[in-house]
């Protein structure tokens, strides 16, 4: 931890002495205390605690107080009870409690994110210095998960899943789960600058073979928002072709063979139309023909009923 020069540069020697003491003390406190962390959402009012409470017997007049950010920027400074500096960006948004020196910021902005130091001096002697880290977050919208079918067959449906969320800070992580098994999204982020709200979009191509539940989570600074969507396999083909049982195959073969036999017989023995044949022969053949016809009809009917 570093500290700001405490006194005006005119008093060179005293500044050096003061500075030496200052840095020592800052290092001491930096090691002794773990840094305080404060989380706040954009638009809220936040309280950054200092390290000293002025006794009721004294007053702010006897003190010099610096609230600075990222070591280099003075947010607010008091000397002899008067405000001597205030950063333009914090005008109208900051207030310091005159007894416990707590800094209030309202409304909090994304740019306020960072490390703050409170340094208290009394008669040019450092009383204390402390760091507080302010983490600014902005809520993301509840993720919007949509699915689009890109290809389908009887076995699977290929889907393009999109998950999007907007208006949050800082840059989020996007994670997912498919029926409780984690999946990677192909994520992309957009933001006007490093200190502007982010929009995030995750894409995923999936082959869905049965109905599945997909979850998309947007995680930022310890917070998370998630949405689930049930993906339905769309194109279920009607009655998948199961191989027919053995006896049906046999029946089919018998039918085909009988049919071919009948056809051969018919071609060989039945008279063709328009040919002159003897009457007696014709009669006998006709009887035979009818016989075959009846036999075939019965046989076919039976085979069909076995097939059904
Ligand atoms: C804080 O200061 C350091 C240099 O001291 C600088 O590199 C960094 O960008 C600053 N961070 C912010 C958030 O201003
Ligand atoms: C600060 O607040 C005062 C009164 O509350 C208002 O008149 C002034 O316009 C504000 N200044 C800025 C920079 O917002
Ligand atoms: C400082 O005083 C304010 C009241 O002005 C109080 O709300 C706050 O909790 C106090 N902070 C600490 C650290 O005691
Ligand atoms: C906010 O400030 C903290 C402390 O300086 C820093 O670690 C963090 O990276 C900052 N966050 C962003 C988004 O810049
Ligand atoms: C989700 O995204 C789809 C496609 O981009 C859009 O049509 C729909 O309005 C969005 N829904 C919400 C609640 O934002
Ligand atoms: C999901 O997985 C987690 C650990 O990965 C497990 O604790 C939890 O019970 C699982 N939930 C379901 C519904 O399977
Ligand atoms: C992620 O998306 C980008 C752009 O849309 C693409 O170029 C890249 O190949 C994708 N990566 C994966 C792993 O799908
Ligand atoms: C983020 O999304 C919101 C709402 O969809 C849109 O109005 C805004 O312009 C987007 N921001 C960026 C940086 O693209
Ligand atoms: C989905 O299946 C099709 C066809 O089997 C294949 O070409 C494609 O690469 C698969 N996609 C994924 C994401 O596994
Ligand atoms: C999908 O999974 C999530 C988390 O694993 C669960 O909270 C949600 O109820 C599930 N949704 C459906 C429709 O099964």
């Amino acid at each position: 931890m570093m500290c700001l020069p405490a006194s005006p540069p005119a008093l060179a020697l005293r500044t050096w002495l003061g500075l030496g003491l200052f840095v020592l003390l800052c290092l001491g406190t930096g090691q002794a205390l773990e840094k305080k962390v404060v989380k706040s959402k954009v638009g809220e009012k936040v309280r950054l605690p200092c390290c000293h409470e002025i006794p009721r017997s004294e007053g702010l007049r006897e003190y010099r107080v610096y609230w600075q950010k990222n070591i280099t920027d003075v947010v607010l400074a008091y000397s002899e009870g008067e405000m001597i500096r205030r950063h333009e960006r914090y005008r109208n948004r900051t207030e310091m409690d005159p007894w416990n020196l707590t800094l209030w910021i309202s409304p909090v902005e994304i740019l306020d994110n960072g490390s703050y130091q409170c340094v208290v001096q009394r008669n040019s002697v450092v009383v204390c210095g402390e760091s507080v880290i302010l983490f600014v977050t902005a809520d993301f919208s509840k993720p919007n998960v949509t699915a689009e079918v890109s290809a389908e067959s009887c076995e699977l449906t290929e889907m393009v899943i999109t998950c999007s969320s907007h208006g949050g800070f800082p840059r989020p992580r996007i994670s997912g789960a498919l029926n409780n098994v984690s999946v990677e999204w192909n994520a992309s982020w957009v933001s006007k600058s490093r200190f502007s709200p982010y929009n995030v979009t995750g894409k995923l191509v999936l082959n869905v073979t049965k109905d599945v539940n997909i979850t998309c989570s947007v995680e930022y600074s310890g917070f998370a928002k998630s949405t689930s969507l049930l993906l339905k396999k769309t194109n279920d083909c009607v009655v998948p072709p199961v191989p027919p049982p053995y006896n049906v195959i046999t029946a089919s073969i018998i039918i085909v063979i009988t049919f071919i036999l009948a056809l051969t017989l018919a071609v060989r023995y039945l008279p063709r139309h328009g040919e002159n044949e003897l009457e007696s022969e014709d009669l006998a053949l006709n009887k035979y023909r009818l016989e075959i016809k009846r036999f075939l009809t019965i046989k076919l009917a039976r085979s069909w009923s076995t097939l059904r």
Side-chain angles (χ1 to χ4, degrees):
M1 175 177 171
M2 261 170 63
C3 294
L4 193 86
S7 313
L11 307 157
L13 190 63
R14 279 189 63 183
T15 307
W16 270 107
L17 282 172
L19 204 63
L21 191 70
F22 208 75
V23 173
L24 267 178
L25 197 122
C26 289
L27 285 173
T29 48
Q31 276 164 356
L33 297 167
E34 77 272 33
K35 285 187 174 175
K36 284 191 177 134
V37 171
V38 174
K39 280 189 181 180
S40 174
K41 294 201 168 146
V42 167
E44 286 181 353
K45 183 170 187 171
V46 72
R47 182 175 67 105
L48 303 181
C50 190
C51 49
H52 186 67
E53 183 151 1
I54 296 175
R56 293 285 152 169
S57 57
E58 299 172 0
L60 195 54
R61 296 211 133 269
E62 281 106 296
Y63 288 83
R64 190 179 266 259
V65 182
Y66 285 94
W67 265 107
Q68 48 198 60
K69 180 173 184 251
N70 196 24
I71 300 163
T72 49
D73 300 338
V74 174
V75 176
L76 198 65
Y78 275 87
S79 178
E80 295 168 359
E82 298 290 321
M83 189 192 295
I84 53 167
R85 279 180 79 179
R86 170 158 14 208
H87 198 288
E88 193 53 40
R89 240 181 30 77
Y90 290 90
R91 184 182 296 279
N92 270 14
R93 295 197 301 124
T94 44
E95 232 176 277
M96 190 184 78
D97 183 89
W99 296 101
N100 65 22
L101 313 178
T102 292
L103 180 72
W104 295 93
I105 307 178
S106 173
V108 168
E109 297 173 357
I110 286 177
L111 276 174
D112 297 342
N113 182 77
S115 169
Y116 290 76
Q117 298 86 39
C118 154
V119 180
V120 184
Q121 276 185 308
R122 186 173 182 274
N123 298 329
S124 300
V125 174
V126 174
V127 176
C128 69
E130 190 172 83
S131 271
V132 186
I133 294 175
L134 175 61
F135 280 105
V136 179
T137 61
D139 279 334
F140 277 88
S141 63
K142 190 173 160 59
N144 181 3
V145 185
T146 55
E148 208 178 297
V149 173
S150 52
E152 59 185 346
S153 66
C154 292
E155 292 78 34
L156 53 84
T157 304
E158 192 186 66
M159 290 182 180
V160 179
I161 322 290
T162 308
C163 170
S164 61
S165 176
H166 55 86
F169 187 87
R171 194 176 117 130
R173 222 173 69 80
I174 183 163
S175 68
L178 191 68
N179 275 354
N180 210 16
V181 176
S182 80
V183 286
E184 279 301 320
W185 292 91
N186 189 359
S188 61
W189 296 265
V190 279
S191 172
K192 288 203 183 77
S193 78
R194 222 159 57 81
F195 294 103
S196 299
Y198 284 84
N199 285 356
V200 64
T201 306
K203 275 202 192 300
L204 192 60
V205 181
L206 273 187
N207 274 339
V208 176
T209 51
K210 58 181 186 343
D211 292 0
V212 286
N213 178 1
I214 187 145
T215 304
C216 172
S217 298
V218 173
E219 295 156 24
Y220 51 102
S221 206
F223 298 94
K225 290 261 168 93
S226 59
T227 302
S228 290
L229 180 71
L230 193 63
L231 301 177
K232 286 195 179 292
K233 179 179 177 310
T234 48
N235 188 25
D236 265 325
C237 300
V238 275
V239 198
V242 280
Y246 189 69
N247 58 347
V248 176
I249 298 177
T250 321
S252 313
I253 292 170
I254 291 171
I255 292 171
V256 172
I257 290 171
T258 319
F259 196 75
I260 292 168
L261 263 173
L263 219 73
T264 324
L265 278 173
V267 170
R268 282 192 62 173
Y269 294 110
L270 297 190
R272 273 148 284 187
H273 279 284
E275 267 182 44
N276 288 326
E277 309 259 332
L278 282 175
E279 193 74 352
S280 57
E281 256 181 333
D282 209 25
L283 258 166
L285 263 173
N286 221 2
K287 235 175 127 188
Y288 184 55
R289 195 169 60 183
L290 278 170
E291 202 75 15
I292 292 174
K293 255 190 183 168
R294 242 182 62 213
F295 168 77
L296 279 181
T297 322
I298 292 164
K299 188 85 186 165
L300 267 170
R302 278 218 192 111
S303 305
W304 275 119
S305 61
T306 16
L307 261 178
R308 283 291 137 97

